[in-house]
Amino acid sequence: MPENLVAEIIHGTLLTQARPAPTHARAASSLGGELYGPFDRGRGGPGGWIILGEPELHVHGDILVPDLAGWRRERMPELPFASAFELAPDWVCEVLSPSTAAIDRADKMPIYAREHVPHLWLVDPIVKTLEAFKLDGGRWSLLGVWSGDARVRVEPFESLELKLAELWAA
């Protein structure tokens, strides 16, 4: 695929999208930055995670590229040498855009549930919301929806107070 496209294979169908818009990229980068120090590096937080932006996941015939994903180090102590991950993450975050929101919700969320990803966040930088879900018996349970400049503590990163306003900042 050309560098300006993100390609995924969902249920046997190749889907391509343009690279994220600046508001989308900013929200993903800001959230990744907030989580990286305390959870990936253990700086000011508990550590114990590997947090990556746009990892390529190969799971049972589907190829997904979440905006952010995290693996607990107890399940994945170090990065594999392969270019894609076959081990499903412990947390994924999809940053919604008008062109991808339906795919993220209707197609990718069920695949993440099938793969037993315990935590899923949906971030919408246009309406400025964070929705958090937890897998419960193979189904997603909504933990909450927060908006605007709320300060939140959300599983699985509840030890960090996240200032949502920083995700939308210009």
Side-chain angles (χ1 to χ4, degrees):
M1 284 289 115
E3 297 260 337
N4 66 325
L5 296 178
V6 176
E8 297 178 297
I9 297 176
I10 300 175
H11 306 302
T13 301
L14 175 64
L15 301 174
T16 60
Q17 298 100 29
R19 299 295 311 162
T23 54
H24 179 122
R26 179 66 171 185
S29 297
S30 296
L31 180 57
E34 290 293 316
L35 298 176
Y36 182 79
F39 294 97
D40 193 298
R41 293 287 131 209
R43 292 187 198 121
W49 286 80
I50 293 176
I51 307 286
L52 296 173
E54 295 189 344
E56 187 171 305
L57 309 176
H58 290 203
V59 289
H60 296 99
D62 293 304
I63 298 175
L64 307 178
V65 182
D67 291 291
L68 293 164
W71 289 261
R72 293 184 187 273
R73 286 188 184 269
E74 61 204 28
R75 289 186 57 241
M76 188 172 75
E78 53 190 46
L79 290 172
F81 288 108
S83 62
F85 296 84
E86 294 181 0
L87 179 65
D90 295 293
W91 166 79
V92 293
C93 177
E94 295 288 357
V95 179
L96 305 177
S97 64
S99 63
T100 65
I103 293 166
D104 291 336
R105 290 180 183 281
D107 296 317
K108 293 172 82 173
M109 281 183 74
I111 293 170
Y112 293 138
R114 178 193 76 201
E115 298 302 319
H116 308 288
V117 174
H119 297 278
L120 168 72
W121 291 7
L122 299 176
V123 171
D124 189 326
I126 296 171
V127 297
K128 299 179 180 176
T129 59
L130 164 63
E131 296 173 69
F133 298 87
K134 184 175 185 176
L135 197 62
D136 183 15
R139 300 180 58 105
W140 291 114
S141 293
L142 180 65
L143 296 175
V145 180
W146 301 271
S147 65
D149 60 356
R151 293 172 175 247
V152 300
R153 293 182 181 274
V154 184
E155 289 183 39
F157 305 114
E158 65 271 14
S159 65
L160 173 73
E161 182 179 75
L162 184 64
K163 299 169 193 150
L164 293 186
E166 294 181 3
L167 305 184
W168 331 129

